[in-house]
Amino acid sequence: MTTIPQPQIAPAHPNAEPGTQFAVHNPATQEVIGTLPNMTANQIAEAVAKAAAAQVRWAATPVRDRMRVFSRFAELLCDQKDSVAAVISGEAGKPEAEAMSTEVMVVLDTVKYLQNHVPAFLKPEPVPHGNPVMKLKGGTLLREPYGVVGIISPWNYPFNLPSIQTLTALATGNAVVLKPSEFTPYSSLELEKLLRAAGLDPDLLQVITGDGAAGAALLAANVQKIVFTGSVATGKRVAQAAAARLLPVVLELGGKDPMIVLEDADIDVASSAAVWGAFMNAGQTCLSVERCYVQEKIYAKFLEKCVEKTKKLRIGSSCLQTKAQAGVPVPQDSPESEIDMGPMIHERQLSIVQSHVKDAVARGARLLAGGKPLTQLGPNFFAPTILADVDHSMKIMREETFGPVLPVRGFKTEDEAVALANDSEYGLAACIFTNDRKRGEALARRVQAGTVMVNDVLTCFGISEAPHGGIKASGIGRTHGRFGLEEMVWPKYVDSDRMPRMKKLWWYGYGPAFGQQMGGFIELLFAKGLTKRLRGGVKSTKSYLRRRLL
Ligand code: NAD
C-alpha cells in the first residue's frame, strides 16, 4: 500500500448561497484544487437563453458539419488524454488507469458511434401504411431536437457521464446547459474547453457551477428536456419538479446490482470479476457488484479466491494533478502510478459504507477482509471489504452502499438465485457467471434489470451501442446507443396525401347509408372467413361512389 502524509480534513460542502464561491478538493489529499462560483438562478436562466438562440443555428447546420466539430474534438481529446485523465483523477480520486479506460476511452468510442450512426438516425424515415385506404398517403417520421437539454451529473464518473450525454444531445441538434456535481466540476470544464477548441459555438455548451440549488435553478429555467444522473432521493425531487412543468426527463439513478455465480463457472475468472466489479472506482459505480450470490458447491472456494485477490490490491492515490501543479514529475513506474483503488469521494459516503458493514456484522455476517477506514492514508480511504453469509435483512443487501464492499451469500438452485437477485427495489444491471453461455443467457431473461451481462461485469457501460438505464427505482429512460439517441429527439410524423384533388370518402356528407357501408368495409378488412369478407365488400361498394361529399 502507498502511504501518503496525513492530510487536513476538508469541511463538507456547505449548502452554498448562490453568488458565493465554493472550493473543490482532491478527495485523497484534501488539497484545494480550485474555487468556482455558485451561479445564481438569473445567471443560469441567462445561460439557457443564450443556448436557445444558438440552438436554432445549430439545428439548421448540416449533420456532416456538426460531425466535423466532433472529429476535431476527438483528435484534441486523444492528444490531451493524459492531462484530462489527471484532472479526472485529481478531483474524483480514481486511479489514472481507470480515468483512461472507463472515462476517456469510453467518450472517444461514443464520438465514433455518433459519427457512424447519427447521420442515418436523423434521416427522414418512411412509415408504410397497412390499411389499404391509407395506401394513397406517404408517411414520414422526422426526429426533431428538443432545443436546450439540461444535464445534471454526479461525481463518480465526472467526465464520461456528462460527455456522453452532452455529445449525444449536440449531435442530434440540441444545445446543452450542463450542471456537473459540485464535487467534480473540473472534468466538465475540460469537456467545455475541448469542444470550444474544436470549434463549437460557446453558447451551445455552457457549464454552470454550483450545488443542488444550481441544479434546481436549471430545472426551473427554460430547458425543454432534463437528463439527470444521480441518487434516487434527488431523482425523485427532480421528477417532481419536472412533472410540475410536464418537462420530459431521463433519470439514471442508483443500483444494487446482483452477481450470480453458477457452480459450473470458472472460479478464478468469476472471483477476479467480483473483486474488480465491487472495488473498481472504490465501489462508487452505479453498476458495481453490490450483492454476490454463489452456488453452494463453489461458495467456500470462491470466497477464498476473492479474499486472496483483495489482499493484493494496492490502495492509495494517483495525485497526478496535484503533483503536476506543484511541478513534481510523476514517473510512470512510481508507486503512485500503480494503485488499484483510490479514496472515496467524501467522508459522508464513507460513513454510509461503514454503517452498512457494521449493521451486517451485527446481524451475523462474517468479515473476511477490510471492514475499516484506512485513516493512515487519509479520511476518505476505506479498505476493500468482503462479507460472507449475508442475508436480505441487512442494509448491505437492500440499500445502495456505493463503496468498496463485496457481500456474498450462497444459494442452492437457479430459482433461488433469480428470486434473490429480483428481491430488490433497484433494477439497473446484473451479471451471471457460468461456463454454459446458453444457461447464462436463459437465466438473464429472468433477472429484472436494464442490462444483464453473462461472464463479464460493468463493461456494458463501455459499449457505445448498448442502451444504459434501469427499471424500478433505478430510473426512467436510457442513455447510450440508439435508445439514448431517441431520448434527445421528439418524433414528428408528417403525412402527405398523394391525391391532392380528391376529397376523402370518410369526410362529411355521410347520408343515411354510409354507416352501413362502413360496416361492410370493416367486414371486408377484418371478418373471419372469405364469404363474410366478400359480403362485406359488396355492402361497402356504394361508399366508394358517394357523390354528396361536402
Ligand atoms: P446526487 O443525487 O447527490 O447529485 C447528483 C447531481 O444532482 C449533482 O450535480 C447535484 O448537485 C444535483 N442536485 C442535488 N440536488 C438537486 C436538486 N434538488 N435539483 C436538481 N439537482 C440537484 O448524486 P451523487 O451523490 O452526485 O451521485 C451518486 C449517485 O448517482 C448514486 O446513487 C449512483 O448510483 C448514481 N449514479 C447513477 C448512474 C446511472 O447511470 N444510473 C451513474 C452514476 C451515478
Side-chain angles (χ1 to χ4, degrees), residues 100-302:
M100 282 286 183
S101 60
T102 68
E103 304 245 22
V104 175
M105 193 167 79
V106 179
V107 172
L108 283 167
D109 193 59
T110 298
V111 174
K112 211 165 226 173
Y113 171 82
L114 294 170
Q115 286 171 324
N116 288 340
H117 290 85
V118 169
F121 173 76
L122 291 179
K123 276 211 173 113
E125 185 183 322
V127 181
H129 305 329
N131 189 329
V133 183
M134 301 300 167
K135 294 267 185 207
L136 292 178
K137 300 170 177 307
T140 309
L141 186 66
L142 305 177
R143 291 179 166 85
E144 303 281 347
Y146 274 97
V148 182
V149 177
I151 296 177
I152 303 177
S153 294
W155 45 261
N156 62 334
Y157 286 87
F159 189 67
N160 88 24
L161 291 167
S163 299
I164 292 170
Q165 295 167 4
T166 295
L167 292 166
T168 310
L170 289 173
T172 42
N174 298 283
V176 172
V177 177
L178 164 63
K179 209 301 276 177
S181 167
E182 57 274 36
F183 295 100
T184 54
Y186 284 102
S187 302
S188 286
L189 289 167
E190 285 295 305
L191 169 70
E192 185 186 63
K193 207 160 71 188
L194 287 169
L195 274 168
R196 288 178 180 183
L200 190 79
D201 178 338
D203 291 348
L204 280 172
L205 166 62
Q206 296 166 72
V207 174
I208 54 163
T209 51
D211 63 6
L218 182 57
L219 271 161
N222 192 22
V223 293
Q224 281 77 49
K225 175 122 191 183
I226 284 284
V227 180
F228 171 83
T229 309
S231 63
V232 174
T234 312
K236 285 181 180 169
R237 282 196 284 276
V238 168
Q240 277 166 358
R245 291 184 47 198
L246 289 182
L247 188 63
V249 280
V250 172
L251 299 173
E252 294 285 4
L253 308 179
K256 191 76 199 164
D257 292 1
M259 172 177 187
I260 297 174
V261 186
L262 299 175
E263 61 193 5
D264 67 348
D266 183 312
I267 299 178
D268 185 38
V269 171
S271 56
S272 289
V275 167
W276 185 69
F279 304 143
M280 204 268 283
N281 202 24
Q284 303 167 120
T285 302
C286 54
L287 301 166
S288 287
V289 172
E290 289 243 341
R291 300 177 283 149
C292 185
Y293 305 104
V294 184
Q295 206 151 13
E296 276 182 353
K297 198 171 143 201
I298 58 164
Y299 183 66
K301 187 79 194 154
F302 175 86

Side-chain angles (χ1 to χ4, degrees), residues 14 34 51 54 82 97 159 221 283 339 367 386 393 416 463 483 527 545:
D82 292 321
F159 189 67
I339 63 151
L367 182 65
I386 298 183
S393 73
E416 187 189 357
I463 303 168
F483 285 87
L545 308 170

Side-chain angles (χ1 to χ4, degrees), residues 172-472:
T172 42
N174 298 283
V176 172
V177 177
L178 164 63
K179 209 301 276 177
S181 167
E182 57 274 36
F183 295 100
T184 54
Y186 284 102
S187 302
S188 286
L189 289 167
E190 285 295 305
L191 169 70
E192 185 186 63
K193 207 160 71 188
L194 287 169
L195 274 168
R196 288 178 180 183
L200 190 79
D201 178 338
D203 291 348
L204 280 172
L205 166 62
Q206 296 166 72
V207 174
I208 54 163
T209 51
D211 63 6
L218 182 57
L219 271 161
N222 192 22
V223 293
Q224 281 77 49
K225 175 122 191 183
I226 284 284
V227 180
F228 171 83
T229 309
S231 63
V232 174
T234 312
K236 285 181 180 169
R237 282 196 284 276
V238 168
Q240 277 166 358
R245 291 184 47 198
L246 289 182
L247 188 63
V249 280
V250 172
L251 299 173
E252 294 285 4
L253 308 179
K256 191 76 199 164
D257 292 1
M259 172 177 187
I260 297 174
V261 186
L262 299 175
E263 61 193 5
D264 67 348
D266 183 312
I267 299 178
D268 185 38
V269 171
S271 56
S272 289
V275 167
W276 185 69
F279 304 143
M280 204 268 283
N281 202 24
Q284 303 167 120
T285 302
C286 54
L287 301 166
S288 287
V289 172
E290 289 243 341
R291 300 177 283 149
C292 185
Y293 305 104
V294 184
Q295 206 151 13
E296 276 182 353
K297 198 171 143 201
I298 58 164
Y299 183 66
K301 187 79 194 154
F302 175 86
L303 278 169
E304 190 187 306
K305 282 269 178 202
C306 286
V307 172
E308 184 189 310
K309 290 171 185 180
T310 298
K311 290 197 168 147
K312 288 187 185 152
L313 296 180
R314 290 152 303 187
I315 324 299
S317 152
S318 293
C319 292
L320 289 178
Q321 189 199 33
T322 321
K323 291 193 175 197
Q325 274 173 352
V328 180
V330 182
Q332 279 306 301
D333 58 355
S334 74
E336 283 87 348
S337 65
E338 285 180 17
I339 63 151
D340 297 307
M341 200 186 94
M344 305 201 58
I345 191 73
H346 46 54
E347 286 183 88
R348 194 155 30 88
Q349 197 57 43
L350 185 139
S351 65
I352 294 171
V353 175
Q354 212 169 359
S355 77
H356 284 196
V357 172
K358 211 170 145 195
D359 171 76
V361 172
R363 289 170 188 270
R366 275 190 297 136
L367 182 65
L368 301 185
K372 55 181 191 310
L374 298 171
T375 43
Q376 71 277 21
L377 294 179
N380 296 337
F381 287 89
F382 197 85
T385 297
I386 298 183
L387 292 167
D389 306 346
V390 292
D391 65 47
H392 281 208
S393 73
M394 301 168 184
K395 282 186 195 169
I396 202 91
M397 296 302 270
R398 306 213 70 85
E399 297 173 18
E400 187 180 44
T401 306
F402 222 53
V405 185
L406 176 65
V408 191
R409 70 158 279 178
F411 70 85
K412 284 195 176 67
T413 63
E414 281 186 13
D415 285 350
E416 187 189 357
V418 171
L420 286 166
N422 291 343
D423 178 25
S424 173
E425 285 174 25
Y426 297 92
L428 192 54
C431 63
I432 297 165
F433 279 76
T434 168
N435 275 344
D436 180 346
R437 282 181 62 203
K438 283 224 153 50
R439 190 179 170 200
E441 287 164 24
L443 208 57
R445 301 186 74 132
R446 300 173 61 196
V447 175
Q448 295 163 354
T451 301
V452 185
M453 295 204 87
V454 178
N455 291 325
D456 199 358
V457 59
L458 294 175
T459 312
C460 48
F461 197 85
I463 303 168
S464 300
E465 294 73 17
H468 171 72
I471 55 164
K472 303 199 255 183

